[in-house]
Amino acid sequence: MRKERLIVPVVVTLALVWAVAQFLASLLFERELARALIDLEARGELVVERSEVERGWLSSSGIVHISPVLGDGWRLELSYAARHGVFSTRVEGRAHPSTSPRQLRLFGDWLPSSPPRWHARYQTLGGTLEGSIQLAPFLISQGPRELDFQGGQLSFEGVYGDWRLRARLRPWRLTDGVATLASGPVALESRYAYTADAHHFTQHDLLRIDQLVWQQPGLELEAHDLFYLSHMQLDDSELRIDSELTLANVSMADQVLLSGRVAMEVSRINADALREALAGLRREAAKARELDPRELLAHLEPALLATLVDSPRLDLKTVDLESPMLGLAARGDGALFFDPRRLDELSPARLDDDAEQARWLARLDGDFIWREVPAVVSLWLGLPLSTRDLEIDVIRGQVRVNGRPMPPLWR
C-alpha cells in the first residue's frame, strides 16, 4: 500500500518538472531567436522584422522578414515552425526570396516550384543551433537570357555570439544572347563572432571558385582556383578590413594571361563614428519614406565625415602578379593615406561634382614601389629602359613616378 500511495505524488512531481522544463525550453528558444535577430540587424546592413508570431509551450511559429536597409532590390521571408522538447527544439520552415520592384517571388512567380525547405535543431542546454537548407536546381529563361542553376546546400551552426556558415554551390551558367558566364563549384566558409548589439565583431570569410569561364564571339577567358580571403574587425577604436585575392591562373587561347596574388588592408575607420552612421542609416530607413542618395548622404554627412578623423589608410601589402602571355610581372607594395584636417570643407553628398571630387583627391598622400619593372612599362612611361624600380608617389592627389609627373596613360 505504501508504494501505491507514492505513485500519485511521484507522477504529479514528474509532470510538474516536465511542464517547467518544457516552459523553460520554449522560453529559451524565443529569447535566443530574438537576440540573434536583434544582433543581425545591429550590423547595420539589414532590416529584420517578424510577423505572425505565435508562442506556446509545445510549439511556436512565425515569419522572419529580411531586407536591405537601402533600396528594395531584394527581400527574404523565412517562415518557421518550432516544436519544443525538454532538451532540444526542432525547427523547420520555407525560404521565400523575392526581387524588386514588384517583389516577385523567385519560387512561385519566376519558377513553377515550391520554395526550398530549411530545418534546424536547437539544443536547450548548450544553446547551440545547427541547421541547413537544400537549394534545388532550377532553370530561368527570359527572352535571350537564361540562368541554369544546378543546386547546392547552405549549412549553419553556432551559439549566441559565434556563428559559422558554409555554402556549397554546384556549377551554374548564365547566358545572355551570344555571351555566357559559367562557374564551377563554389564554396564559402564564414565565421561571425560578436558582442551584444554587434558593438564589436570579427568576421572571417573564405570564398573559393574552382572555375570561372567567360565566352563570347572571339573571346574566351577561363580562370581556375580563385580564392578570396577576408578578415573584418570592429573594435573600440577602428574598423579594419584585411583581404587577399589569389588567382591560380586566368587563361586565354590556351595561354596563361594572369596569375598571382594581391593582399591589402583598409584601417583607421573610426569605430564610434561608423556605429553612429549605421544607427542613423537605420533611423532613416525606419521612417518609411524614400530618400534619393544625395539627400540621404546629406542626412548622414556629419557621421560619415567623422569616420575619417583618424586618417584612414590603405595598405597594399603584397602585389605579386605575372602574365606569361604578355611577358609582364608586377611585384610591389605601398600605402595611401587620407588627410583628415578641416573635414568641414568636404561633402559626401556632392561627390558627383567635379570640383568636390578634386577636393577629396587633394587629401590623398602615399607611396608605392613596383620592383623589377618590365622594360616595356618604363618605355611606356618615358623612363630609361635601365629603370629597375618604379617609385610612385602620391602628393595631395598628384601622382609622380620616379620624381616626374605621371604622364597621360592614354594618348
Side-chain angles (χ1 to χ4, degrees):
M1 291 291 293
R2 277 182 164 180
K3 293 181 180 180
E4 293 176 354
R5 291 175 181 175
L6 290 174
I7 291 176
V8 173
V10 168
V11 171
V12 171
T13 301
L14 291 176
L16 288 174
V17 170
W18 175 86
V20 171
Q22 187 73 31
F23 172 73
L24 289 176
S26 62
L27 194 65
L28 288 173
F29 170 79
E30 175 60 31
R31 186 194 71 174
E32 293 304 310
L33 177 60
R35 290 171 68 188
L37 296 180
I38 289 173
D39 288 329
L40 178 63
E41 187 174 44
R43 275 289 296 267
E45 304 100 330
L46 303 172
V47 175
V48 183
E49 300 172 326
R50 275 200 292 172
S51 66
E52 302 180 26
V53 177
E54 294 185 7
R55 303 179 179 89
W57 286 25
L58 299 178
S59 64
S60 58
S61 61
I63 301 176
V64 178
H65 306 269
I66 303 175
S67 58
V69 170
L70 289 179
D72 57 354
W74 59 272
R75 185 180 180 89
L76 177 62
E77 293 182 2
L78 294 172
S79 64
Y80 69 91
R83 297 181 180 180
H84 305 297
V86 174
F87 299 106
S88 66
T89 293
R90 291 178 297 169
V91 191
E92 60 181 20
R94 292 187 179 274
H96 299 270
S98 56
T99 58
S100 66
R102 292 177 292 168
Q103 293 300 326
L104 297 176
R105 290 193 171 189
L106 176 60
F107 300 95
D109 295 324
W110 290 102
L111 298 172
S113 60
S114 59
R117 298 192 65 87
W118 67 278
H119 64 275
R121 182 176 292 273
Y122 172 73
Q123 302 294 336
T124 305
L125 298 180
T128 60
L129 179 69
E130 297 180 1
S132 65
I133 178 171
Q134 195 72 32
L135 304 176
F138 61 79
L139 179 67
I140 300 178
S141 297
Q142 187 180 41
R145 299 183 181 91
E146 181 179 273
L147 174 60
D148 185 2
F149 178 68
Q150 296 299 312
Q153 184 179 35
L154 303 176
S155 61
F156 54 88
E157 61 178 326
V159 297
Y160 175 79
D162 191 355
W163 294 97
R164 297 174 186 266
L165 170 70
R166 293 182 178 86
R168 300 289 185 271
L169 304 180
R170 290 190 283 273
W172 56 266
R173 185 180 69 255
L174 175 64
T175 302
D176 187 356
V178 296
T180 300
L181 175 65
S183 171
V186 177
L188 171 66
E189 295 187 9
S190 181
R191 182 177 182 181
Y192 175 52
Y194 58 93
T195 60
D197 296 326
H199 190 78
H200 298 163
F201 68 78
T202 301
Q203 182 169 334
H204 297 267
D205 297 297
L206 174 60
L207 175 67
R208 172 176 177 171
I209 303 176
D210 287 1
Q211 184 182 45
L212 193 63
V213 180
W214 171 262
Q215 293 177 318
Q216 68 179 54
L219 176 64
E220 180 175 340
L221 293 174
E222 186 171 339
H224 293 275
D225 294 332
L226 280 71
F227 291 87
Y228 177 73
L229 179 65
S230 174
H231 176 209
M232 182 187 302
Q233 182 173 352
L234 178 68
D235 56 26
D236 280 331
S237 60
E238 66 175 335
L239 172 70
R240 187 168 59 255
I241 305 173
D242 270 299
S243 57
E244 179 178 325
L245 176 65
T246 302
L247 305 170
N249 67 76
V250 179
S251 60
M252 182 174 66
D254 296 326
Q255 296 186 60
V256 177
L257 176 64
L258 185 65
S259 65
R261 59 185 285 264
V262 177
M264 65 179 63
E265 180 187 63
V266 177
S267 59
R268 298 184 185 176
I269 305 296
N270 185 271
D272 290 334
L274 178 63
R275 282 186 275 262
E276 177 57 34
L278 292 174
L281 182 59
R282 291 195 296 272
R283 288 193 296 268
E284 293 298 330
K287 294 178 181 178
R289 60 190 181 92
E290 189 171 344
L291 294 174
D292 63 50
R294 189 161 185 163
E295 185 180 358
L296 179 61
L297 286 174
H299 280 79
L300 302 177
E301 192 167 278
L304 291 175
L305 290 174
T307 63
L308 308 174
V309 297
D310 297 326
S311 184
R313 61 180 288 169
L314 168 66
D315 284 280
L316 205 55
K317 294 182 173 181
T318 302
V319 176
D320 187 0
L321 299 173
E322 187 174 3
S323 176
M325 176 185 287
L326 301 177
L328 298 176
R331 296 180 177 88
D333 53 69
L336 192 65
F337 304 86
F338 184 85
D339 182 355
R341 293 173 294 181
R342 301 183 305 278
L343 286 174
D344 57 315
E345 297 177 358
L346 303 176
S347 173
R350 296 195 299 269
L351 265 174
D352 55 350
D353 181 71
D354 292 341
E356 184 66 22
Q357 292 174 19
R359 281 190 284 271
W360 284 77
L361 286 175
R363 300 300 186 101
L364 298 180
D365 295 281
D367 57 85
F368 301 87
I369 186 167
W370 183 348
R371 297 182 179 87
E372 300 178 6
V373 60
V376 66
V377 175
S378 299
L379 181 63
W380 186 31
L381 295 175
L383 297 173
L385 293 179
S386 59
T387 302
R388 297 286 296 171
D389 298 331
L390 281 187
E391 296 179 1
I392 305 171
D393 297 306
V394 181
I395 304 171
R396 296 186 59 82
Q398 302 297 315
V399 181
R400 299 181 68 87
V401 180
N402 286 16
R404 304 178 180 181
M406 180 76 170
L409 296 179
W410 310 107
R411 297 191 176 108

